Amino acid sequence: MDEPGKSQLKDGDFLRMPWTIEHQLEAYARNPRHTDRHETLFWSWKQLSRWLANLLNYVIGSFPTYSEHDETHCRAVLHNIECLLGEDEIRRLSPTDCFGILVAVYLHDIGMCVSEDDKAAIIASDDFYYSIEELEDSPDPELREAALTLKETDYQ
């Protein structure tokens, strides 16, 4: 029988897998003494994570020169948090703590998800025009150059 947190290898050897925040949340939901709240948090996270991962795929289209800010990036951020906490601290997290951390990691770049319709509305807005004018008057030469580039760009 497999031990929790371990993956079975050939000949019955076990490889110790790191205990993650998601494992901790799932452990609450699968515990025989779990509550409806534990199950709700875990299954809400499973569904929400898929939805947010799909939404984060918009980032690369909106910010093609940025490093990837998709689910892979979120998993890397989550891994770094888990490394900082360590297994003992992860096991002390409440179900709400786990859910909150997981959702926060997936939401931290959500403002970078901009649809084509959103982009068109931004470019057509007076605020966009006035922002370019402000950049033109900036004491920073790079911002002035950016303003010129924005004015020369064909947004069609």
Side-chain angles (χ1 to χ4, degrees), residues 9-115:
L9 299 174
K10 64 181 181 177
D11 302 327
D13 291 335
F14 283 93
L15 171 67
R16 181 116 165 87
M17 299 301 289
W19 191 253
T20 66
I21 295 171
E22 194 167 11
H23 287 139
Q24 180 70 4
L25 183 58
E26 183 175 5
Y28 279 111
R30 298 200 187 280
N31 185 302
R33 296 181 314 229
H34 75 275
T35 67
D36 288 345
R37 185 173 157 276
H38 297 143
E39 259 189 75
T40 299
L41 286 171
F42 175 67
W43 291 110
S44 294
W45 164 245
K46 295 303 280 183
Q47 186 168 6
L48 187 59
S49 66
R50 285 191 298 269
W51 182 76
L52 290 172
N54 286 332
L55 190 57
L56 285 167
N57 288 329
Y58 280 101
V59 173
I60 195 68
S62 301
F63 298 91
T65 60
Y66 277 43
S67 61
E68 287 193 43
H69 280 71
D70 59 4
E71 184 178 23
T72 304
H73 169 67
C74 291
R75 288 282 167 198
V77 170
L78 194 53
H79 175 74
N80 289 337
I81 291 169
E82 291 163 345
C83 287
L84 287 169
L85 288 174
E87 185 173 326
D88 290 341
E89 290 302 316
I90 291 171
R91 289 184 183 276
R92 288 185 184 98
L93 294 174
S94 72
T96 305
D97 292 336
C98 294
F99 184 81
I101 291 168
L102 291 166
V103 171
V105 166
Y106 273 67
L107 286 177
H108 84 273
D109 282 329
I110 209 71
M112 295 175 68
C113 297
V114 183
S115 71

